[in-house]
Amino acid sequence: MRDTFLPFSKPCITEAEIAAVGDVLRSGWITTGPKGAQFESDLKAYTGAADVVCMTSETSVMQTLARAIDLGPGDEVITPSMTWVSMVNITALSGATPVFVDCDRDTLMITAEAIEKAITPRTKLIVPVHFAGAILDMDKIRAVAAKHNIMLVEDAAHALGGAYKGEKVGKKGHAMFSFHPIKNITTGEGGMFATDDQALADRMRSLKFHGLGVDAYDRQTHGRAPQAQVVEPGFKFNLPDMQAVLGIGQLARVDEMNRKRGYIMQQYAEKLNSIDEIIQLKQPDYEFTHAHHLMVVRLDINKAAMSRDDFMSELKKRNIGTGLHFRCVHLQKYYREAFNCAPGMLPDTEWNSERILSLPMFPDMTDQDIDDVVAAIKDILKK
Ligand SMILES: *Cc1c(COP(=O)(O)O)cnc(C)c1O
């Protein structure tokens, strides 16, 4: 057994990135400024998006979006339940109703067919998730959204660097990304909205900074009056330069880090292949580039004669950390009570929710770390 704890995720940060943060701290300008502007322009160049707006988290992006599209009572938002809680919470906070769609049992993504069945005259927004770095079947999903004239925004928290049919996620339509420490790149906390709709980008940019129509940096450098007025009430979600500068360094290495993640996932896939208690995800068969965000597997709880939670604690006893992406949202306390969600509603989501776990996966992991995880799994399952 290994003698040090292996976390399930760990940010990969270089000394040069740390020094760059230090430089910003010493520079006299630590909030949104030149580094924020450069990070946004680097993100545009990388994704091919017409415009990007950075904020303090992806959840802030969602809250700003909800305001920008006037999401409110009577509106429905189509979302998976196999996701992080952010979009569902923002939907509920807006007074709108989340409409949960079951995921595919083996890719954990929602399909165009399932989305179309969930559409009603009240549907205002569709937010599918590129799960674990695999990419949704966007041609089909875009066709359904267009046919019914409903806004589609991709939750691309797991998908920076991923591509669909040769096109980077974020280039077309609207997508939201996260720079939380476990994601493919980090700014400590942070997020971005990428869009090909300039009017929407401008509105998001204004709403994320008090609704002034300009942000702190613009006011200082672009000759706009500090007396700028509120055009409409907005939030305070601008990403400071001390964080943006970390993002600049991280983004320059995202392809390299994703390659390492891809190697680790490949190693796991091969080494776990012979263990029938471990059910791996199925990869979609259309053309896409995986962003290799999470190594998600399912435990066959019957064959293992053990619950997933017990399996996770057995791994922890062997110094192996794990994550849970995700406990389904619709059966969490608030959603059961406020929206009458009950077990049985989403069979494939619930099946996975009881069996899923994420194995350690981060760019600095070594071959020995991977072998330690596999050995611990075999030890628990008495292989
Ligand atoms: C991480 C994550 C979010 C939230 O991102 P934050 O930047 O932490 O707000 C939203 N959706 C999914 C699927 C995520 O994994």
Side-chain angles (χ1 to χ4, degrees):
M1 184 182 112
R2 47 182 294 140
D3 49 9
T4 57
F5 184 70
L6 179 67
F8 103 87
S9 178
K10 193 165 104 185
C12 173
I13 295 170
T14 64
E15 287 304 319
E17 286 160 15
I18 294 170
V21 174
D23 290 345
V24 168
L25 290 173
R26 282 184 284 265
S27 73
W29 188 282
I30 63 178
T31 186
T32 310
K35 299 301 180 190
Q38 190 192 329
F39 187 37
E40 287 187 349
S41 95
D42 290 356
L43 285 163
K44 270 201 285 193
Y46 182 76
T47 57
D51 204 359
V52 311
V53 185
C54 285
M55 300 191 205
T56 48
S57 69
E58 185 181 347
T59 308
S60 313
V61 171
M62 291 165 170
Q63 194 171 352
T64 308
L65 176 73
R67 179 71 191 180
I69 66 170
D70 206 15
L71 187 67
D75 295 331
E76 293 176 353
V77 176
I78 294 178
T79 167
S81 171
M82 180 50 68
T83 185
W84 181 239
V85 296
S86 297
M87 191 63 224
V88 187
N89 279 348
I90 295 300
T91 299
L93 282 167
S94 304
T97 303
V99 174
F100 296 105
V101 167
D102 207 359
C103 61
D104 177 275
R105 188 156 170 139
D106 289 311
T107 65
L108 303 196
M109 290 191 282
I110 60 176
T111 62
E113 294 74 28
I115 291 169
E116 186 156 35
K117 283 198 197 113
I119 289 173
T120 76
R122 293 166 180 267
T123 308
K124 183 125 179 189
L125 180 65
I126 301 168
V127 187
V129 178
H130 298 292
F131 193 88
I135 307 302
L136 291 151
D137 199 354
M138 292 310 299
D139 283 348
K140 290 187 183 158
I141 293 174
R142 284 186 182 126
V144 165
K147 177 174 153 196
H148 297 272
N149 196 23
I150 297 167
M151 187 181 200
L152 171 66
V153 182
E154 299 156 51
D155 183 339
H158 304 176
L160 187 68
Y164 178 75
K165 299 188 178 170
E167 199 160 63
K168 279 257 164 65
V169 176
K171 181 169 196 257
K172 202 188 243 176
H174 318 292
M176 307 178 285
F177 296 80
S178 170
F179 308 135
H180 176 275
I182 81 158
K183 305 294 154 86
N184 295 50
I185 70 168
T186 188
T187 56
E189 296 283 356
M192 75 148 161
F193 184 63
T195 180
D196 56 11
D197 176 341
Q198 195 56 56
L200 180 60
D202 292 344
R203 183 99 190 280
M204 295 286 283
R205 189 165 273 122
S206 169
L207 278 171
K208 72 127 189 335
F209 193 72
H210 306 295
L212 285 176
V214 294
D215 60 25
Y217 181 54
D218 293 329
R219 283 197 292 152
Q220 288 295 328
T221 62
H222 295 175
R224 296 202 182 123
Q227 298 89 340
Q229 295 190 39
V230 172
V231 182
E232 59 175 319
F235 302 106
K236 183 68 190 345
F237 291 152
N238 55 298
L239 186 73
D241 268 20
M242 52 188 279
Q243 288 172 256
V245 73
L246 177 56
I248 293 169
Q250 291 265 298
L251 184 63
R253 295 189 300 116
V254 65
D255 288 339
E256 176 199 328
M257 291 193 288
N258 283 1
R259 246 191 324 273
K260 288 188 185 164
R261 289 173 174 277
Y263 167 79
I264 296 163
M265 274 173 95
Q266 187 58 39
Q267 292 294 304
Y268 269 133
E270 286 167 19
K271 291 177 181 185
L272 296 173
N273 202 26
S274 61
I275 307 177
D276 4 304
E277 290 90 340
I278 300 294
I279 311 165
Q280 298 193 42
L281 295 187
K282 205 182 266 165
Q283 296 308 323
D285 53 14
Y286 44 81
E287 188 205 334
F288 73 101
T289 306
H290 206 293
H292 303 299
H293 175 54
L294 292 170
M295 182 63 202
V296 170
V297 296
R298 288 79 53 81
L299 177 72
D300 186 326
I301 55 182
N302 300 329
K303 274 189 195 149
M306 182 186 295
S307 72
R308 181 270 323 280
D309 291 354
D310 287 345
F311 188 66
M312 285 171 76
S313 37
E314 287 301 320
L315 280 167
K316 196 168 178 191
K317 282 186 205 156
R318 288 162 180 80
N319 266 336
I320 308 293
T322 50
L324 207 181
H325 307 91
F326 296 97
R327 183 183 296 285
C328 59
V329 182
H330 73 290
L331 296 182
Q332 300 194 25
K333 181 176 160 49
Y334 177 81
Y335 293 101
R336 273 190 281 119
E337 292 171 3
F339 294 97
N340 291 316
C341 295
M345 241 177 82
L346 305 171
D348 290 332
T349 298
E350 293 165 23
W351 188 89
N352 276 287
S353 187
E354 282 173 20
R355 290 164 176 81
I356 208 162
L357 68 147
S358 303
L359 300 178
M361 232 278 276
F362 51 90
D364 291 333
M365 256 179 95
T366 63
D367 286 342
Q368 184 62 54
D369 291 335
I370 301 169
D371 287 342
D372 288 347
V373 176
V374 174
I377 290 172
K378 286 184 171 167
D379 184 45
I380 295 165
L381 297 172
K382 302 189 171 48
K383 296 273 165 182

